[in-house]
Amino acid sequence: MADNTKEIQEARAKLKQLILDEVKPMRKKLDDLLNKEAERLCPFAVGDIIILDNGKKGIIKEINYYSLNYDFGEGEEFDFIERFDDIEYIYAYMLDDKKFSITWSVSGLRMINNGTEEGKVPFRAISPDKYEIDISNKIVKRKTLNGLVADEDFLTNFGTIE
């Protein structure tokens, strides 16, 4: 067996350089574009004060994109065992009605002293797939199971038995 350690090290060095020179800058550019789109889609702005699900206030510090990474169907056949907990992809299409899975997510800090000062305790990842969003009153609260599964036939869609 030939010793190809040098060849392996050279290949690793080339790959590392490729990642540093091309992949990371492209990933940053894509993230920046997706974050701009998320800011456009989000009904809130950085600095807005919202009422969280515990009734206390929080101030939004950042708006980021949130991708559900769903597919658009792989045909009629798929292995249910491999995808048994991969049902989130359906919600993205229902949320934005577009053929990409981006939506928005807000994070920030909880307010203290009856909502008059910024605290240090963060809240994270409030997005419309898991939270009910009352835009006019700026209230967010976690969806119940009924809210997550809007269609009552979602999990048990059996045809008529004759």
Side-chain angles (χ1 to χ4, degrees):
M1 192 153 116
D3 184 16
N4 48 350
T5 304
K6 185 177 178 186
E7 213 176 323
I8 291 171
Q9 289 175 339
E10 288 173 358
R12 281 185 175 162
K14 274 184 174 176
L15 179 61
K16 181 179 179 181
Q17 200 59 46
L18 181 66
I19 290 169
L20 289 173
D21 293 344
E22 295 185 35
V23 175
K24 285 191 174 186
M26 185 59 70
R27 181 72 240 185
K28 181 170 177 2
K29 180 179 179 181
L30 179 60
D31 285 344
D32 290 345
L33 290 169
L34 290 170
N35 282 330
K36 283 181 185 174
E37 182 66 13
E39 287 178 17
R40 190 186 68 75
L41 292 171
C42 184
F44 306 121
V46 171
D48 281 358
I49 295 175
I50 59 174
I51 299 172
L52 303 168
D53 55 355
N54 63 359
K56 300 201 177 191
K57 294 180 180 180
I59 185 166
I60 297 173
K61 291 294 188 179
E62 62 183 9
I63 300 170
N64 293 312
Y65 76 93
Y66 177 68
S67 178
L68 299 176
N69 294 326
Y70 66 98
D71 54 13
F72 294 97
E74 300 164 2
E76 296 298 316
E77 297 179 29
F78 65 92
D79 186 359
F80 186 73
I81 298 300
E82 290 178 11
R83 302 193 44 196
F84 69 94
D85 76 13
D86 187 21
I87 60 173
E88 275 189 53
Y89 73 94
I90 292 169
Y91 305 133
Y93 193 78
M94 291 167 50
L95 288 171
D96 56 27
D97 199 26
K98 293 182 179 151
K99 293 195 176 193
F100 57 93
S101 62
I102 182 178
T103 189
W104 53 269
S105 172
V106 296
S107 300
L109 296 171
R110 296 179 186 272
M111 305 288 281
I112 57 173
N113 294 334
N114 292 326
T116 58
E117 296 177 32
E118 275 183 31
K120 294 182 180 179
V121 178
F123 64 88
R124 292 186 178 91
I126 293 178
S127 60
D129 68 323
K130 295 195 172 69
Y131 286 82
E132 292 177 19
I133 312 295
D134 180 349
I135 297 169
S136 58
N137 295 315
K138 295 188 178 183
I139 298 173
V140 297
K141 65 179 185 174
R142 190 170 291 279
K143 285 184 178 178
T144 62
L145 182 59
N146 287 343
L148 288 170
V149 183
D151 181 8
E152 63 188 41
D153 293 331
F154 174 73
L155 295 175
T156 55
N157 189 6
F158 301 110
T160 306
I161 300 175
E162 295 178 20

PDB file of all heavy atoms in Angstrom, residues 37-55:
ATOM      1  N   GLU A  37     -34.664  39.928   2.734  1.00  0.00           N
ATOM      2  CA  GLU A  37     -36.002  39.467   2.357  1.00  0.00           C
ATOM      3  C   GLU A  37     -36.850  39.219   3.607  1.00  0.00           C
ATOM      4  O   GLU A  37     -38.036  39.548   3.642  1.00  0.00           O
ATOM      5  CB  GLU A  37     -35.899  38.196   1.511  1.00  0.00           C
ATOM      6  CG  GLU A  37     -37.221  37.658   1.016  1.00  0.00           C
ATOM      7  CD  GLU A  37     -37.935  38.576   0.029  1.00  0.00           C
ATOM      8  OE1 GLU A  37     -37.322  39.529  -0.487  1.00  0.00           O
ATOM      9  OE2 GLU A  37     -39.124  38.329  -0.230  1.00  0.00           O
ATOM     10  N   ALA A  38     -36.251  38.662   4.649  1.00  0.00           N
ATOM     11  CA  ALA A  38     -36.973  38.422   5.902  1.00  0.00           C
ATOM     12  C   ALA A  38     -37.431  39.740   6.524  1.00  0.00           C
ATOM     13  O   ALA A  38     -38.560  39.840   7.013  1.00  0.00           O
ATOM     14  CB  ALA A  38     -36.094  37.653   6.876  1.00  0.00           C
ATOM     15  N   GLU A  39     -36.568  40.757   6.487  1.00  0.00           N
ATOM     16  CA  GLU A  39     -36.959  42.070   7.010  1.00  0.00           C
ATOM     17  C   GLU A  39     -38.134  42.647   6.221  1.00  0.00           C
ATOM     18  O   GLU A  39     -39.014  43.287   6.784  1.00  0.00           O
ATOM     19  CB  GLU A  39     -35.770  43.031   6.968  1.00  0.00           C
ATOM     20  CG  GLU A  39     -34.734  42.725   8.016  1.00  0.00           C
ATOM     21  CD  GLU A  39     -33.525  43.652   7.951  1.00  0.00           C
ATOM     22  OE1 GLU A  39     -33.627  44.728   7.312  1.00  0.00           O
ATOM     23  OE2 GLU A  39     -32.497  43.298   8.534  1.00  0.00           O
ATOM     24  N   ARG A  40     -38.144  42.405   4.921  1.00  0.00           N
ATOM     25  CA  ARG A  40     -39.245  42.881   4.088  1.00  0.00           C
ATOM     26  C   ARG A  40     -40.545  42.152   4.427  1.00  0.00           C
ATOM     27  O   ARG A  40     -41.616  42.749   4.477  1.00  0.00           O
ATOM     28  CB  ARG A  40     -38.905  42.689   2.608  1.00  0.00           C
ATOM     29  CG  ARG A  40     -39.879  43.356   1.662  1.00  0.00           C
ATOM     30  CD  ARG A  40     -39.568  43.019   0.221  1.00  0.00           C
ATOM     31  NE  ARG A  40     -39.802  41.628  -0.097  1.00  0.00           N
ATOM     32  CZ  ARG A  40     -41.010  41.068  -0.272  1.00  0.00           C
ATOM     33  NH1 ARG A  40     -42.097  41.788  -0.125  1.00  0.00           N
ATOM     34  NH2 ARG A  40     -41.125  39.788  -0.581  1.00  0.00           N
ATOM     35  N   LEU A  41     -40.454  40.858   4.676  1.00  0.00           N
ATOM     36  CA  LEU A  41     -41.633  40.049   4.971  1.00  0.00           C
ATOM     37  C   LEU A  41     -42.177  40.265   6.385  1.00  0.00           C
ATOM     38  O   LEU A  41     -43.369  40.107   6.627  1.00  0.00           O
ATOM     39  CB  LEU A  41     -41.310  38.557   4.805  1.00  0.00           C
ATOM     40  CG  LEU A  41     -41.016  38.047   3.403  1.00  0.00           C
ATOM     41  CD1 LEU A  41     -40.503  36.620   3.456  1.00  0.00           C
ATOM     42  CD2 LEU A  41     -42.241  38.132   2.530  1.00  0.00           C
ATOM     43  N   CYS A  42     -41.300  40.602   7.316  1.00  0.00           N
ATOM     44  CA  CYS A  42     -41.679  40.699   8.731  1.00  0.00           C
ATOM     45  C   CYS A  42     -42.574  41.908   8.975  1.00  0.00           C
ATOM     46  O   CYS A  42     -42.284  43.012   8.520  1.00  0.00           O
ATOM     47  CB  CYS A  42     -40.423  40.788   9.593  1.00  0.00           C
ATOM     48  SG  CYS A  42     -40.791  40.793  11.368  1.00  0.00           S
ATOM     49  N   PRO A  43     -43.663  41.729   9.727  1.00  0.00           N
ATOM     50  CA  PRO A  43     -44.554  42.860  10.019  1.00  0.00           C
ATOM     51  C   PRO A  43     -43.996  43.788  11.107  1.00  0.00           C
ATOM     52  O   PRO A  43     -44.572  44.832  11.370  1.00  0.00           O
ATOM     53  CB  PRO A  43     -45.834  42.168  10.499  1.00  0.00           C
ATOM     54  CG  PRO A  43     -45.366  40.877  11.067  1.00  0.00           C
ATOM     55  CD  PRO A  43     -44.183  40.465  10.239  1.00  0.00           C
ATOM     56  N   PHE A  44     -42.898  43.403  11.743  1.00  0.00           N
ATOM     57  CA  PHE A  44     -42.282  44.206  12.793  1.00  0.00           C
ATOM     58  C   PHE A  44     -40.948  44.760  12.303  1.00  0.00           C
ATOM     59  O   PHE A  44     -40.417  44.317  11.298  1.00  0.00           O
ATOM     60  CB  PHE A  44     -42.052  43.365  14.051  1.00  0.00           C
ATOM     61  CG  PHE A  44     -43.286  42.667  14.550  1.00  0.00           C
ATOM     62  CD1 PHE A  44     -43.316  41.286  14.668  1.00  0.00           C
ATOM     63  CD2 PHE A  44     -44.421  43.382  14.886  1.00  0.00           C
ATOM     64  CE1 PHE A  44     -44.449  40.642  15.124  1.00  0.00           C
ATOM     65  CE2 PHE A  44     -45.566  42.740  15.343  1.00  0.00           C
ATOM     66  CZ  PHE A  44     -45.579  41.362  15.464  1.00  0.00           C
ATOM     67  N   ALA A  45     -40.406  45.709  13.055  1.00  0.00           N
ATOM     68  CA  ALA A  45     -39.102  46.293  12.735  1.00  0.00           C
ATOM     69  C   ALA A  45     -38.187  46.159  13.954  1.00  0.00           C
ATOM     70  O   ALA A  45     -38.664  45.978  15.083  1.00  0.00           O
ATOM     71  CB  ALA A  45     -39.261  47.765  12.373  1.00  0.00           C
ATOM     72  N   VAL A  46     -36.897  46.249  13.711  1.00  0.00           N
ATOM     73  CA  VAL A  46     -35.946  46.258  14.817  1.00  0.00           C
ATOM     74  C   VAL A  46     -36.269  47.474  15.681  1.00  0.00           C
ATOM     75  O   VAL A  46     -36.500  48.574  15.180  1.00  0.00           O
ATOM     76  CB  VAL A  46     -34.496  46.318  14.287  1.00  0.00           C
ATOM     77  CG1 VAL A  46     -33.512  46.544  15.422  1.00  0.00           C
ATOM     78  CG2 VAL A  46     -34.144  45.050  13.531  1.00  0.00           C
ATOM     79  N   GLY A  47     -36.340  47.247  16.987  1.00  0.00           N
ATOM     80  CA  GLY A  47     -36.691  48.327  17.915  1.00  0.00           C
ATOM     81  C   GLY A  47     -38.145  48.309  18.347  1.00  0.00           C
ATOM     82  O   GLY A  47     -38.503  48.970  19.328  1.00  0.00           O
ATOM     83  N   ASP A  48     -38.997  47.563  17.633  1.00  0.00           N
ATOM     84  CA  ASP A  48     -40.401  47.450  18.038  1.00  0.00           C
ATOM     85  C   ASP A  48     -40.507  46.693  19.354  1.00  0.00           C
ATOM     86  O   ASP A  48     -39.750  45.748  19.612  1.00  0.00           O
ATOM     87  CB  ASP A  48     -41.223  46.694  16.981  1.00  0.00           C
ATOM     88  CG  ASP A  48     -41.601  47.558  15.796  1.00  0.00           C
ATOM     89  OD1 ASP A  48     -41.259  48.758  15.788  1.00  0.00           O
ATOM     90  OD2 ASP A  48     -42.237  47.020  14.873  1.00  0.00           O
ATOM     91  N   ILE A  49     -41.461  47.097  20.159  1.00  0.00           N
ATOM     92  CA  ILE A  49     -41.742  46.396  21.414  1.00  0.00           C
ATOM     93  C   ILE A  49     -42.972  45.536  21.188  1.00  0.00           C
ATOM     94  O   ILE A  49     -44.000  46.023  20.715  1.00  0.00           O
ATOM     95  CB  ILE A  49     -41.938  47.387  22.568  1.00  0.00           C
ATOM     96  CG1 ILE A  49     -40.620  48.128  22.818  1.00  0.00           C
ATOM     97  CG2 ILE A  49     -42.416  46.671  23.820  1.00  0.00           C
ATOM     98  CD1 ILE A  49     -40.693  49.222  23.858  1.00  0.00           C
ATOM     99  N   ILE A  50     -42.841  44.245  21.495  1.00  0.00           N
ATOM    100  CA  ILE A  50     -43.942  43.300  21.315  1.00  0.00           C
ATOM    101  C   ILE A  50     -44.303  42.690  22.663  1.00  0.00           C
ATOM    102  O   ILE A  50     -43.505  42.729  23.601  1.00  0.00           O
ATOM    103  CB  ILE A  50     -43.571  42.187  20.298  1.00  0.00           C
ATOM    104  CG1 ILE A  50     -42.342  41.404  20.748  1.00  0.00           C
ATOM    105  CG2 ILE A  50     -43.363  42.770  18.912  1.00  0.00           C
ATOM    106  CD1 ILE A  50     -42.000  40.204  19.883  1.00  0.00           C
ATOM    107  N   ILE A  51     -45.505  42.149  22.725  1.00  0.00           N
ATOM    108  CA  ILE A  51     -45.946  41.448  23.929  1.00  0.00           C
ATOM    109  C   ILE A  51     -45.749  39.956  23.683  1.00  0.00           C
ATOM    110  O   ILE A  51     -46.298  39.399  22.724  1.00  0.00           O
ATOM    111  CB  ILE A  51     -47.410  41.780  24.262  1.00  0.00           C
ATOM    112  CG1 ILE A  51     -47.542  43.283  24.513  1.00  0.00           C
ATOM    113  CG2 ILE A  51     -47.875  40.976  25.467  1.00  0.00           C
ATOM    114  CD1 ILE A  51     -48.951  43.779  24.671  1.00  0.00           C
ATOM    115  N   LEU A  52     -44.955  39.348  24.534  1.00  0.00           N
ATOM    116  CA  LEU A  52     -44.613  37.938  24.389  1.00  0.00           C
ATOM    117  C   LEU A  52     -45.712  37.057  24.955  1.00  0.00           C
ATOM    118  O   LEU A  52     -46.654  37.534  25.586  1.00  0.00           O
ATOM    119  CB  LEU A  52     -43.272  37.664  25.072  1.00  0.00           C
ATOM    120  CG  LEU A  52     -42.119  38.533  24.557  1.00  0.00           C
ATOM    121  CD1 LEU A  52     -40.912  38.421  25.472  1.00  0.00           C
ATOM    122  CD2 LEU A  52     -41.767  38.134  23.137  1.00  0.00           C
ATOM    123  N   ASP A  53     -45.568  35.737  24.755  1.00  0.00           N
ATOM    124  CA  ASP A  53     -46.626  34.806  25.160  1.00  0.00           C
ATOM    125  C   ASP A  53     -46.834  34.742  26.666  1.00  0.00           C
ATOM    126  O   ASP A  53     -47.856  34.252  27.123  1.00  0.00           O
ATOM    127  CB  ASP A  53     -46.389  33.417  24.568  1.00  0.00           C
ATOM    128  CG  ASP A  53     -45.035  32.853  24.913  1.00  0.00           C
ATOM    129  OD1 ASP A  53     -44.216  33.560  25.539  1.00  0.00           O
ATOM    130  OD2 ASP A  53     -44.772  31.701  24.544  1.00  0.00           O
ATOM    131  N   ASN A  54     -45.909  35.250  27.476  1.00  0.00           N
ATOM    132  CA  ASN A  54     -46.130  35.267  28.923  1.00  0.00           C
ATOM    133  C   ASN A  54     -46.758  36.580  29.386  1.00  0.00           C
ATOM    134  O   ASN A  54     -46.907  36.821  30.573  1.00  0.00           O
ATOM    135  CB  ASN A  54     -44.817  35.026  29.663  1.00  0.00           C
ATOM    136  CG  ASN A  54     -43.779  36.103  29.412  1.00  0.00           C
ATOM    137  OD1 ASN A  54     -44.012  37.042  28.656  1.00  0.00           O
ATOM    138  ND2 ASN A  54     -42.627  35.961  30.034  1.00  0.00           N
ATOM    139  N   GLY A  55     -47.112  37.468  28.429  1.00  0.00           N
ATOM    140  CA  GLY A  55     -47.753  38.731  28.750  1.00  0.00           C
ATOM    141  C   GLY A  55     -46.776  39.864  29.009  1.00  0.00           C
ATOM    142  O   GLY A  55     -47.172  41.011  29.152  1.00  0.00           O
TER     143      GLY A  55
END
